[in-house]
Amino acid sequence: MEQPTNSATGLAMPVHPSGRESQSSAGQQDQESSPDVVTGMLTICSHDVYALIDPGSTLSCITPFVARKFGIVPEILSDPFAVFTPIRESIIARQFYRGCTVLVCGRQTPADLVELEMLDFYAIMGMEWLAACYATVDCQANIARFHFSGEPVLEWLGNTTTPRCRFISYMKARKMTTKGCIYHIVRAKDVNAEIPILQSIPVVKEYAYIFPNELPGIPPE
């Protein structure tokens, strides 16, 4: 895979032995208002993600939060690269997911996605993917057009509506707590979910005779 070039998304140049890296990533508000990119929802490996289509980025990236749901074993990058986050911490990209399926207006397209911790977007689709899809980006109209050979032109209309469910990275959360921000640990439970039986739990089912018929609950602290 080729190394990324300078872009609005902040993908940096390859890491040098001296540890020098370049560029810092811009925030979501800056990206959504940028005249050079398109934002919107894409379906990647059957998961809807909030994505940034950026012709200025060579590679395409995915957050580990989403990537771990793909069921694809990542491959190691031969030449890792780095970015600086808005809180001035450096992130090294070391692995990527080959052949991920990206749906464009119902049509399947393949993409190699570099795993990268990002603060505001779940995916960044770069020029490598756009070129393979014969795509042109009309940033003013917020539309990406895909000119597949022998097929009608597909128009993907972006939007600037941010998904309601928002997540922040561990690094950003750590930075906020060091500044005195209050955080809460929440344990969520799906009340409609069926209670698993011992026979459905890997390893445990092999030794069911050791466990009682009904578990009393979670272990005490």
Side-chain angles (χ1 to χ4, degrees), residues 38-114:
V38 175
T39 60
M41 300 299 296
L42 278 176
T43 301
I44 303 178
C45 292
S46 301
H47 296 277
D48 294 332
V49 300
Y50 188 53
L52 174 75
I53 293 183
D54 180 13
S57 171
T58 301
L59 302 182
S60 299
C61 303
I62 191 76
T63 65
F65 171 78
V66 175
R68 68 170 64 103
K69 302 177 183 179
F70 290 169
I72 301 176
V73 179
E75 300 180 34
I76 303 300
L77 284 168
S78 58
D79 191 5
F81 62 92
V83 297
F84 276 118
T85 71
I87 59 175
R88 304 308 301 165
E89 293 198 37
S90 178
I91 305 175
I92 308 296
R94 303 183 184 278
Q95 57 188 22
F96 72 102
Y97 297 82
R98 185 185 299 276
C100 298
T101 301
V102 182
L103 283 183
V104 177
C105 301
R107 191 191 192 282
Q108 294 185 356
T109 66
D112 294 340
L113 304 176
V114 176

Side-chain angles (χ1 to χ4, degrees), residues 111-157:
D112 294 340
L113 304 176
V114 176
E115 183 181 284
L116 186 67
E117 187 74 50
M118 293 178 284
L119 300 178
D120 299 305
F121 298 96
Y122 299 150
I124 296 175
M125 306 307 296
M127 197 61 198
E128 186 177 78
W129 174 73
L130 291 170
C133 296
Y134 307 97
T136 59
V137 180
D138 185 343
C139 300
Q140 185 173 4
N142 207 32
I143 293 176
R145 295 182 176 88
F146 296 81
H147 305 262
F148 295 104
S149 178
E151 301 180 26
V153 176
L154 301 179
E155 290 190 350
W156 180 83
L157 178 62

Side-chain angles (χ1 to χ4, degrees), residues 6-51:
N6 296 336
S7 74
T9 59
L11 293 182
M13 301 301 291
V15 181
H16 298 285
S18 62
R20 291 177 295 176
E21 301 128 356
S22 63
Q23 301 299 321
S24 58
S25 55
Q28 177 180 349
Q29 185 175 3
D30 294 337
Q31 291 293 351
E32 289 176 344
S33 60
S34 172
D36 302 322
V37 299
V38 175
T39 60
M41 300 299 296
L42 278 176
T43 301
I44 303 178
C45 292
S46 301
H47 296 277
D48 294 332
V49 300
Y50 188 53

